[in-house]
Structures are given as C-alpha cells and as structure tokens.
Amino acid sequence: MGYNNHLVIHLLAVFGVICGDGGLLSPSELEMFVDEIPDMPRIKGYHLVDGVPVSSSLKITMFQKYWKFHRDLPPTKVFAYGETQRTATVPGPTIEAVHGVSTHVRWQNRLPSKHILPWDPTIPTAIPRTKRGVPTVVHLHGGIDEPQSDGNSNSWFTARFQDRGPTWTKKTYHYHNMQQPGNLYYHDHAMGLTRVNLLAGLFGSYIIRHHEVEAPLGLPAGDEFDRPLVVFDRSFRTDGSIYMNATGNNPEIHPQWQPEYFGDAIIVNGKAWPYMTVRRRKYRFRIINASNARFFKFFFGNGLRFVHVASDSVYNDRSVLTKEVLLGPSEIADVVVDFSKSKTNSAILHNGAAYPYPGGDPVDENNGKVMKFIINHQREVDSSRVPKKLIQYPMPSLSEVTKTRYIAMYEYTSPADEPTHLYINARSYEDPVTETPKVGSTEIWNVINLTEDNHPLHIHLGLFRVLDQTNITDIEEFKECMTKFNNVTKCHIEKYARGDKLSVVPYEKGWKNVYKMNPGYVTKILVKFAYIHTNASYPFDATAEPGYVYHCHILDHEDNAMMRPLKMVK
C-alpha cells in the first residue's frame, strides 16, 4: 500500500470526483409507486433472411447523459449503454439472441475524461497511460465464449480506444450463443473500477432464446408478458447526482474504498419504486440483481407466489412454487407470477434481506419495498402455462471428476478491525494462476468461506451444481491455521468440516453460474467446463489468452481484490 498520500489525493482529483457528504437526499422525500416501469429498448442480435435468423453485428456505445430516476428527482448524470446517445438507457438495452446464431458487438467508449464518481487508485486499478479517460470493458455474464471476448479486467479501453489495457485484444466481441437458452447479463468489468462503472449505469440484460426447445413449454411469451426486471439500489443527493461515499473506512490505507455500497432507494428498470399495471393472468419476469452488494429476498405482501423456472442462465429441471426468492448480486431468477390468483387489485413486491447479508441491518420502510403491481380487475383467458417438468440437462457422474480443488475466501482487516482487502486462496489477482482446468473437464471445488459475509461466487465459462454445504466447527481455530499456512491438508480440513449440513433450496438445485457461499461453511460444487446440453466441444479456443477469471460478485470485494485468474488448458 506504500502510496504517497499527496500522489493519491492528486490522482483522485484528476480522475475522480472528490465530493462532500452535503445535500444527501432522504429517500422518504421520494413518493413511492408514482413512475411507471419502463421496458428497456430491445435490440435483436440477429436479423432475418427469408425468415431464417442469421448472424448480426451491433454497435453499442457508452455515453454520459442525464437520466430521470424519479418524477421528483432532478435528472441524474449517468453512464449509459445505447445505439445512440438519445436512446441510451439505464439499464442498457435488452439484447435478444438466438441459439446457434452468433452476435458480434462492437462496444464503443464515448465517455468523458473524468469519472462522475469517486474511485480509489490504491486498489489494483486500470489507470490510463495518459491519466485521462474512463477505462471500460464489457463482460457478458453467463456467456460461454472465447477468452478474447470475455471482457478480461485488463482488456479495458478508454474513449475511441486511445488507451488500452495490457490484455486488450480487439474492438468487436464475438458471442457464439451456442449454449443452452437462458438469461445473461452484460456489465462493465474494468480492473478496480467495476463497482463505480456499474454504479454509474453500465449494465443490461441479454437473452438467448431457443424456439424449438422453449416453445413447447408454453410459458408466458411476447414483449408484454415476458419482461426483464433489473433491480438495484442507489443513493442520491438533492441535486439528483448519485451519492457514493468519497471517504474510505480506512482512509490512511484506501482513501475511498468501502467494503460494500448500499443505496437507500430501490430502482427497477431505471425507476425508483415504480409501478406496473398488469392483467389478471400469468407474467414471466427475468429478475437480475444488479446491485453492488445488496442481496434481495423478494416476496409479495399479499401472499402471491412465484413459480421459479430458471436460475442464472439455465432452466430448472422442474418448476418450483415458492413464497420468496433470495438473490445475491448478479444472480438471476426467472419466475412466473400468476396475477389471476391475487385476492387484491394490487400487490407490493417487498425485500426482506439484511444488509450486509446475512448478519447486517434489517430492511426499513424504504429498502424493504421494491415495486407495486396494479392488477386489472377483469378476468381473462390465459393460454400460457407452467409445466412441472421443464428442461432436464444430464447430471455429470462423479466418476467424470478429474480434479478436486479447495478455494478459500479471506478478509483482512486493519488494527481497528475494518476490512482492508479480500483475497481468494490468500493470493492477489496478480499472483500466478493456480486454477488450470482442462477444456471439457468436470471438477469438484470445495469453497471455504472464512469470512462473516456471504460471498456470491461467479466462475467465468464454467457452470456448476451445488452438492453439499457443511458448517465448519471451531471456525476461529481453523481460520487461525489457514491464515498462517493457507493449506487445507496442514490445517486438517476433515477435522473441522463436520458440522451441520445446510440443504440447497429447491430452486437452486440445478446448474448455476453464481452461488451464495455461506459464511463459516464449506460448499462443495461440481464444476463443468463444457456445454451442459451437448457433448460438442467449444467452437473457439478456450485456452487462448487472456484466459478467464473467477471472483466474488460483491463488486466492492471483486475490485479489492477477491478475484483470481482461471486458465484453461488442453
């Protein structure tokens, strides 16, 4: 951390924004349920030739613009994705792709020379050679694609590609869309800036559809009844600007970095506490948690239930009826809600997740509400359905497992017991790669959470199923040994991983690309580095540079520096 403080302050002043805390808006000043929820623009990642979808090339640009988050809030300066500045939105447009048809996207940066939010150069951060410009790079979360198009954190670029990161490869990304149908999520992934670039607005929904496989299910379909809901939290100043604390919890170590960002206004599709008028029938909602650190435990105040049909980018084997859905940052829940079952003409979607999760503050009047549905009183014919059986993908046999790994999560603190940084396997991102799976292989990862937070683990390229969650007994004793040796054999993991078992909730028993790693538990996951729906090999070289990564998806943790390289080998 040996930075000269004067240099740090200078860098913060040059690239960032040093803001006082004055003028913070109380969320209670914004009336709830006054703005109608927008549906983000939909862009097709293909075009039709004689009725047949063929590969398409898109240009999507990052712009600075003003966005109206609430009727009574002044316009907010944001970074937004769009085909033009006028049509750019927060969240960005929903990209709709077709299975088996490639989409090519040229991601373009037209952002100004300074960031609109404070950021911290004392954590590993993309800093342009010219000291000007906002570094960005796009990761398609859940995409199974070549490393050169995966959005490696060091593949960043500034406006008009004037400055580029050390692993930058090309201007146009190739998304193969060869994987199973499902929900993906594109967002910024620049080294050390992910949390501020997403807070500024750089994220959006991406859907891969497969008509032959999905149409027979009969789920609600069409733009009116099949809607992405992108949920996130923000705080604002009275002038409408996004508020982010400019002072770190350990300012002598990190002048700005905070361990978690929590906003007190809940935003859905770019509006604070919106309302949506619905018909008395079934709707499909693809819910993305786009928050930096906030978990959401969704439930309806009037007792309506969710039918959970898919987790992250994969359909469940079977549909699951549930009263509530818990989503960590960057998890996706695909649910059907049948409003014909409502006994009332309105329903409020609530949040019940403590923050930080699970041991933090309880929700309050503001962050405990998400949005309101106004339900048409007229009954109507609804031909959509939710079958019990959905799409069954083969479960790999344990005999296919070629490697077992242990992945330990650490948090380090200052003498005042404030977090300073977080590592995986006691290593920084820059340390040499230690996870080198073979292309096409299946592995067991035992993820050991030695912290007090729940960490949503995301593995690029890989999909996984959770097999077991076991409490670690005498956790402090085990943690002391691991902190000293970082070696599960020396520390006799078998002696400690023998506590109570935690069952996996039914809607999370299928394939995932993010999973919430419970504090004080060893979570055993089976990871597959191949397509789950076919034995076909990847149509790209997964062993190419710059490789992939895996990380905690609390963005403030990922940035400092709870992320490790993942290098595929032949």
Side-chain angles (χ1 to χ4, degrees), residues 210-278:
H210 193 329
H211 183 76
E212 292 79 10
V213 171
E214 295 181 280
L217 299 176
L219 294 166
D223 290 358
E224 185 179 355
F225 306 117
D226 178 359
R227 303 278 292 267
L229 298 180
V230 186
V231 188
F232 49 102
D233 57 338
R234 294 291 181 273
S235 288
F236 298 99
R237 290 191 177 80
T238 50
D239 65 0
S241 61
I242 296 168
Y243 170 74
M244 182 186 189
N245 195 331
T247 307
N249 59 323
N250 288 303
E252 71 290 347
I253 300 170
H254 300 305
Q256 186 281 324
W257 180 80
Q258 292 269 349
E260 284 105 7
Y261 175 92
F262 295 111
D264 43 27
I266 306 301
I267 319 287
V268 189
N269 287 11
K271 293 293 179 186
W273 303 289
Y275 72 87
M276 179 177 175
T277 304
V278 294

Side-chain angles (χ1 to χ4, degrees), residues 1-3 8 11-12 118-127 190-196 244 248-250 253-259 419-423 429-430 555-562:
M1 308 292 174
Y3 271 75
V8 170
L11 282 168
L12 285 167
W119 58 274
D120 195 329
T122 64
I123 63 176
T125 300
I127 297 180
M191 180 64 72
L193 297 169
T194 303
R195 71 198 189 288
V196 289
M244 182 186 189
N249 59 323
N250 288 303
I253 300 170
H254 300 305
Q256 186 281 324
W257 180 80
Q258 292 269 349
T420 55
H421 60 291
L422 302 97
Y423 279 169
Y429 180 72
E430 289 79 13
L555 303 182
D556 316 272
H557 297 178
E558 173 189 342
D559 277 351
N560 186 26
M562 210 173 196

Side-chain angles (χ1 to χ4, degrees), residues 27 30-35 70 272-274 365-370:
L30 299 177
E31 189 180 341
M32 291 184 180
F33 319 134
V34 295
D35 287 294
H70 187 275
W273 303 289
E365 266 301 297
N366 301 305
N367 54 46
K369 292 190 179 76
V370 178

